[in-house]
Amino acid sequence: MSSSSSSSASASDAAASAPFEKPRAVVKKLLAESQREGQGATVRRSIGRHELRNLDPFLMLDEFSVSKPAGFPDHPHRGFETVTYMLEGAFTHQDFAGHKGTIRTGDVQWMTAGRGIVHSEMPAGDGVQKGLQLWINLSSRDKMIEPRYQELQSKDISRAEKDGVEVRIIAGEAFGVRSPVYTRTPTMYMDFTMRPGSQLHQPVPEGWNAFVYIIDGEGVFGREKSAPVGAHHCLVLGPGDGLSVWNRSGAPLRFALVGGQPLGEPVTLPSTSTPLIPLSPAPPGPPPPAAATGTHARAMLAASLKPAPSLAAFYPSARSARRNPAASVSFPFPARLNQRPLLSASATAEGTGALAGQGEASSSSSTAAAPPIDEARLAQFAADWEAARADKEQGKILTLPVLRANSGGLIVKFNSLQGFVPNPLLSPAHCLKVKLADPKRPIQDVTKDLVGTSISVKVSEVNEEERKLVFSEKDASWSKYSSQIKIGDIYDGIVGSVFHYGAFVHLRFPDGLYHLTGLVHISEVSWDLVQDVQDFLNEGDAVKVIVVNIDMEKSRIALSIRQLEEDPLLETLDKVIPLEAEQSPDRIMSPSEVELLPGLDGICNELLQEDGITDVQFGRQALEKRVVSQDLELWLSNVPAKDNKFTLLARAGRQVQEVYLTTSLDQEGIKKAVQRVLGRVP
């Protein structure tokens, strides 16, 4: 069973008073722009937009601002949780199971939609009603639980205050105070208000994804020298053990800090025959098919075996069910909107029914009778399912004919069965071959061109009970071509998907096709300081990359762009400060000439305490054109020692400095001494 966030998020008993060993930096900044939603309502969406489709386990974040008569009339939720936090005003919610309530300023409603609920959220007062609504994904084991609510009034929300910082703890722990809210997906959710001049160091469990949403004011987040960021920005945080924040403005800073344990699962809804909200036993008939991917269904519902009824046609019976709980109403699954395709589809025996494509309705009528199947054919189907399981276990590469294509991928023939190759599991060789010729050509046109051909695939999923047979062309490409790549190889590549943590690059092989894909992590994009990968790389960019690591077990390739360029401080400062004829490259600077980088003086004093280091002197200083890191970094130059004098290179931000060590140690000894000193100096 899932554990509560209060136990999972207990990284320390209080917010620390000193920065963290591994502080979380801001890796993506997104301004939440206004858009229309619901019925005449306005929201500022950050998570859930195309720039940030989701941040596992978070699916969406809206800052809403609504006045009567606008609002969010009847709409469904399923397979996730919604957390509504009122910043100002009041909202009334009502669902088809008879639950009704009003949350007011400072109140929280934590709703677990589970196997499904249809409800409305409408303003309860005059004027503008404001708040935040967060959607949190549920793990596959929890998606079909019964719907439930946790409602917390403002007076019952845990609070704490320290050093000019106030916090309302909706979930998790801060300043040694825990929230009583139970979260199936381990989550922390806090509302901080910081007075001018205050600072905060809040632990965040390592391995969790986390973000900040700024409600009012402006602050400095992550690193002390970062630029301040203002209201309505969503800041995605990188890995680490805690977040530091400084309010250097003359006004209060208010923001929400949210973190959660990633599920590591596709954003999907489970396959089930259970109706969305059965207010009474569902009428007899065939069960609906697997639910489509996606969560946002404020606008519409879609039936699966028949054309979807409009909301106008659907709502009257739903409203009558509210008035008369005995009325028989069963709801179809929510439609897919603004989400990636689900990596699965039904597999069918030949002649027993049509394959249900990615989010597409079957062309068969719900009342159509399936043709009879004799025992010989049933035996063949069973044998082919067994063969599919054996091929998956053996990792066998198969060559299968493509029967047809739909919006989600390809239907292929496997003996007497049909299986599915989702678009994300196709080799980039197909898509890029066409995309490079015509970038505007949609993926559907690419897959249509493959109908009637054969492709090499491996079995990815076999589930006879759910009639799922999924193949991967990517896995087959890995088996064929991974042996051809080696660490240190340099490839021409095309940038595919770009995320806050890095960019996926398709590698061009000698045959001119792009068979494999690797990841350029954000740290390997450039020697410059990279806060947003999209500032450097965009989909379709041509790049040159070098292979820095290969994980054969996990089928992963790590790539680097920056390692094809020389580090600006790999040798000396000569490239930053060209030497004039009369200058000496090892000129010693007097103390009056030197303005040391912050923290360097303490490090040098500690170096003098190390055995074998007899003197520390300072050399040239300069400002680089680019910022490699905001933190102080030390490098041991590769320049050979002269008279037992080695050169250290220090840099922070744009500042760089040469430091000369007189020592009897060799290069390895100096490296160890520097590591010991850095371990002692905060």
Side-chain angles (χ1 to χ4, degrees), residues 22-253:
K22 293 182 288 185
R24 286 181 177 250
V26 175
V27 297
K28 189 177 185 67
K29 180 175 70 174
L30 181 66
L31 176 63
E33 299 177 349
S34 297
Q35 65 183 64
R36 307 296 290 178
E37 189 58 77
Q39 181 177 299
T42 300
V43 304
R44 288 180 176 268
R45 179 161 302 156
S46 48
I47 299 175
R49 284 172 43 182
H50 69 278
E51 299 98 327
L52 187 60
R53 291 187 181 276
N54 57 65
L55 181 67
D56 189 10
F58 307 112
L59 304 175
M60 192 194 78
L61 177 67
D62 278 356
E63 178 187 3
F64 57 83
S65 179
V66 184
S67 302
K68 290 182 177 179
F72 307 101
D74 299 328
H75 58 275
H77 294 301
R78 190 180 196 196
F80 59 95
E81 296 183 300
T82 67
V83 183
T84 305
Y85 180 33
M86 291 303 302
L87 302 176
E88 179 182 327
F91 252 56
T92 295
H93 63 89
Q94 182 177 4
D95 67 38
F96 285 179
H99 303 110
K100 184 177 181 180
T102 299
I103 55 174
R104 306 182 186 279
T105 302
D107 294 351
V108 175
Q109 183 203 69
W110 198 298
M111 185 189 77
T112 303
R115 70 187 191 84
I117 198 163
V118 176
H119 74 165
S120 63
E121 299 160 289
M122 302 297 288
D126 296 328
V128 179
Q129 324 297 310
K130 298 181 179 180
L132 299 176
Q133 186 169 97
L134 175 70
W135 291 12
I136 307 174
N137 198 14
L138 287 171
S139 66
S140 55
R141 66 177 178 272
D142 289 332
K143 283 189 180 291
M144 295 305 292
I145 62 175
E146 289 294 321
R148 59 172 299 199
Y149 296 92
Q150 295 178 84
E151 290 192 0
L152 209 60
Q153 292 187 353
S154 178
K155 63 181 179 64
D156 297 322
I157 292 178
S158 301
R159 290 173 169 81
E161 183 175 357
K162 183 178 180 180
D163 300 330
V165 180
E166 301 176 10
V167 60
R168 292 164 54 85
I169 309 160
I170 299 168
E173 177 182 352
F175 299 147
V177 179
R178 293 182 179 181
S179 165
V181 170
Y182 174 82
T183 64
R184 290 186 175 274
T185 301
T187 306
M188 61 184 296
Y189 190 154
M190 301 164 189
D191 176 3
F192 285 99
T193 300
M194 299 177 60
R195 298 174 190 167
S198 63
Q199 61 179 280
L200 166 71
H201 304 287
Q202 171 62 38
V204 178
E206 285 199 63
W208 285 26
N209 286 332
F211 67 89
V212 164
Y213 188 80
I214 304 173
I215 301 170
D216 288 307
E218 69 171 29
V220 175
F221 294 84
R223 301 195 186 280
E224 194 169 1
K225 294 184 180 180
S226 299
V229 186
H232 312 304
H233 278 89
C234 180
L235 310 178
V236 179
L237 305 179
D241 51 6
L243 169 68
S244 296
V245 186
W246 296 265
N247 182 4
R248 299 198 178 105
S249 71
L253 165 66

Side-chain angles (χ1 to χ4, degrees), residues 520-680:
V520 179
H521 189 264
I522 185 173
S523 62
E524 295 295 334
V525 171
S526 172
W527 287 110
D528 291 340
L529 180 64
V530 181
Q531 292 186 332
D532 189 338
V533 179
Q534 290 183 333
D535 291 339
F536 292 78
L537 298 173
N538 293 289
E539 184 177 354
D541 287 350
V543 294
K544 192 173 288 290
V545 294
I546 184 171
V547 178
V548 295
N549 191 39
I550 303 170
D551 189 332
M552 299 299 292
E553 184 177 344
K554 296 182 178 179
S555 304
R556 293 176 181 172
I557 305 170
L559 306 170
S560 176
I561 294 175
R562 77 170 189 170
Q563 290 189 33
L564 289 174
E565 304 173 4
E566 186 178 350
D567 183 339
L569 286 184
L570 188 60
E571 296 296 338
T572 67
L573 285 180
D574 293 346
K575 292 184 178 180
V576 181
I577 311 177
L579 284 172
E580 297 180 6
E582 67 276 9
Q583 286 184 318
S584 169
D586 54 357
R587 175 183 173 229
I588 304 301
M589 307 285 287
S590 66
S592 61
E593 295 179 278
V594 177
E595 183 178 347
L596 294 182
L597 277 65
L600 186 56
D601 189 33
I603 290 174
C604 291
N605 288 333
E606 285 293 325
L607 283 171
L608 287 171
Q609 308 305 314
E610 289 289 319
D611 292 337
I613 298 179
T614 58
D615 193 18
V616 178
Q617 295 176 312
F618 303 106
R620 296 174 297 164
Q621 293 179 315
L623 290 177
E624 286 194 276
K625 292 182 179 180
R626 50 185 178 179
V627 177
V628 177
S629 173
Q630 296 287 5
D631 298 326
L632 178 64
E633 295 182 341
L634 287 177
W635 300 69
L636 179 60
S637 173
N638 291 333
V639 175
K642 182 180 179 182
D643 298 328
N644 292 329
K645 185 181 292 184
F646 286 83
T647 302
L648 286 178
L649 299 165
R651 63 182 172 194
R654 293 180 57 207
Q655 294 178 279
V656 293
Q657 171 84 58
E658 285 182 326
V659 179
Y660 304 126
L661 300 182
T662 302
T663 175
S664 60
L665 301 175
D666 59 13
Q667 286 192 337
E668 194 61 32
I670 295 174
K671 290 180 181 179
K672 291 180 179 179
V674 172
Q675 289 173 353
R676 287 194 295 269
V677 167
L678 294 178
R680 297 197 301 266

Side-chain angles (χ1 to χ4, degrees), residues 369-429:
I373 304 176
D374 58 33
E375 292 184 5
R377 294 185 68 193
L378 288 174
Q380 181 63 54
F381 299 151
D384 289 339
W385 281 108
E386 184 61 34
R389 285 188 288 269
D391 289 343
K392 182 178 187 302
E393 185 175 341
Q394 297 169 13
K396 187 176 179 181
I397 297 178
L398 308 169
T399 301
L400 302 181
V402 178
L403 299 179
R404 54 190 181 276
N406 60 33
S407 60
L410 301 175
I411 294 89
V412 295
K413 178 179 173 60
F414 177 78
N415 299 334
S416 64
L417 304 177
Q418 294 178 14
F420 190 65
V421 184
N423 286 332
L425 296 188
L426 289 172
S427 166

